[in-house]
Structures are given as structure tokens and as C-alpha cells.
């Protein structure tokens, strides 16, 4: 008897998904299980066979939906990234009081709190995920990303009148670069974390992701304002 509701859902899926809704449910299941594995380990440690095992699917079935591990995690990144864009747009549309650079920086940085999976994948986008996918797989992601940058950038420019046209998308591109660097610095190996916790004068090397991102974004916006 299967007592786990998630396992019941998996077992309820037909052996061969023929309907569009069955295919989408199976695709969603694969992504959910990949995310669960990634959140508990590293990208390098996630194996396609492990994803298939958690989803109660044959490994070959997983490859029918995602021909490479990079394609699977690019799809996962796409889900997480555009969900975040939606939340950020909602935050930027709230409130009638005037916005300042520090307020915008804090809002953006805090919107990424608890989004470790997203920020870790963003740090892998150019160096790993885009290295083993086809142009056909990558182009829709890039097109959607461009649209989100323009839409989100326009909202940023509306909130800060000192920004020039095009500064909003550029700000979001700088945000991407900062996230990549700070996430890698914040994700310490266990031995590195142990050393930094034991040696007081090395405290400067410990990175608080949200605090450092807020500071960096505030400085970036201050520079844009003073031009």
C-alpha cells in the first residue's frame, strides 16, 4: 500500500503519457524531483538516474523530456527565474510613496532571500547550463529573458526618475553579475566555513549574501544617479 501522496500521484500517471496534460504532469514531476535533489546537494552530484528514481520513471523516459542534464536544469532555472521576475514586478508596482535607490536595492535583494536554488543556478548559467544545449532549446529562454528584462527594467525606471532610458534593463544585468559572484562567495565549502568560523580575523571573508547584494546595488544606483 502506498501511503505517500506524492507517490500516489506518480503512480497514477499512465505508463506512456499520450495526452498533453499527462505529458505536462510528467514534465512537472521530473522538474520537481530535480529541484528536490538539487536543494539537498550540488549540481555535480545530481544524476539523471537519481531524478528518474525519485520520479518512479525509467531513465530513458526522463531523457525523452530532457535530452541532457543541462537541458533539465535550464528548464528548472527558467521556472524559478520567471516566477521571481513575476514577484519582483509585483513588488515594484506596490506603494505610492516615492522610491529611493536604497529602497529599490533593498527590495530587490530581499526578493531573493530564500531563493538559493535560483541564485545557485544563475551562477551556473553561462559556464555550465548553456554548454550542452541546442540553439533550439536555448533561444526561447533567451527571448523570454529579454522580454522580462525590458518589462522589469521599465518598472525600475518608473520608480527612479533619475534613471535614463535603458538603465533599468542594464541595472538588472548588473544584478545578474552580482548574484553570480556573491552566491559563489557565500556558498562556502564545509572546510572553508569551519576555518572562517574558527579564526576571528578572517571574518571579512564571510559573505552575507543579502546584505552584500543590498550594499552593491545601492552603490550601483548611487553611481547612476550622480552621472
Amino acid at each position: 500500500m502506498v501511503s505517500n501522496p506524492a507517490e500516489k500521484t506518480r503512480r497514477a500517471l499512465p505508463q506512456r503519457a499520450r495526452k498533453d496534460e499527462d505529458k505536462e504532469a510528467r514534465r512537472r514531476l521530473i522538474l520537481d524531483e530535480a529541484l528536490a535533489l538539487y536543494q539537498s546537494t550540488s549540481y555535480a552530484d545530481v544524476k539523471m538516474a537519481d531524478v528518474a528514481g525519485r520520479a518512479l520513471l525509467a531513465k530513458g523516459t526522463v531523457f525523452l523530456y530532457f535530452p541532457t542534464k543541462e537541458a533539465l536544469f535550464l528548464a528548472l532555472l527558467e521556472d524559478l527565474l520567471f516566477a521571481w521576475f513575476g514577484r519582483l514586478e509585483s513588488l515594484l508596482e506596490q506603494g505610492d510613496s516615492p522610491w529611493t535607490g536604497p529602497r529599490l536595492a533593498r527590495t530587490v535583494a530581499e526578493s531573493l532571500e530564500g531563493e538559493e536554488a535560483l541564485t545557485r543556478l544563475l551562477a551556473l548559467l553561462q559556464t555550465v547550463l548553456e554548454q550542452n544545449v541546442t540553439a533550439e532549446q536555448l533561444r526561447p529562454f533567451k527571448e523570454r529573458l529579454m522580454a522580462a528584462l525590458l518589462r522589469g527594467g521599465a518598472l525600475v525606471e518608473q520608480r527612479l526618475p533619475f534613471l535614463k532610458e535603458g538603465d533599468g534593463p542594464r541595472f538588472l544585468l548588473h544584478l545578474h553579475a552580482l548574484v553570480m559572484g556573491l552566491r559563489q562567495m557565500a556558498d562556502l565549502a564545509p572546510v572553508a566555513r569551519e576555518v572562517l568560523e574558527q579564526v576571528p580575523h578572517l571574518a571579512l571573508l564571510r559573505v552575507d549574501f543579502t546584505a552584500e547584494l543590498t550594499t552593491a546595488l545601492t552603490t550601483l544606483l548611487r553611481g547612476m544617479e550622480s552621472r
Side-chain angles (χ1 to χ4, degrees), residues 25 101 130-131 145 172 181:
E130 293 182 354
Q131 299 301 314
L145 178 58
L172 293 175

Side-chain angles (χ1 to χ4, degrees), residues 135-156:
E136 290 75 15
Q137 291 165 339
L138 186 59
R139 180 170 180 174
F141 170 77
K142 291 294 189 181
E143 295 281 4
R144 192 178 178 190
L145 178 58
M146 175 61 78
L149 285 173
L150 293 176
R151 188 170 57 250
L155 287 172
V156 169

Side-chain angles (χ1 to χ4, degrees), residues 11-66:
R11 294 185 188 281
L13 290 172
Q15 292 300 309
R16 295 183 62 186
R18 292 184 174 87
K19 297 180 180 179
D20 288 342
E21 55 266 32
D22 291 337
K23 292 179 180 179
E24 179 55 30
R26 182 158 288 171
R27 179 182 181 277
R28 182 72 264 160
L29 173 62
I30 294 169
L31 289 170
D32 288 345
E33 297 303 344
L35 176 59
L37 281 170
Y38 184 61
Q39 288 175 323
S40 63
T41 183
S42 67
Y43 175 82
D45 289 333
V46 176
K47 303 295 187 290
M48 294 291 268
D50 296 332
V51 175
R54 284 184 60 99
L56 301 181
L57 296 171
K59 183 177 177 181
T61 300
V62 174
F63 279 110
L64 287 176
Y65 287 83
F66 303 101

Side-chain angles (χ1 to χ4, degrees), residues 38 43 119-130 180:
Y38 184 61
Y43 175 82
T119 55
R120 287 169 60 201
L121 284 174
L122 279 174
L124 298 176
L125 178 58
Q126 281 82 14
T127 58
V128 177
L129 302 185
E130 293 182 354
M180 288 192 298

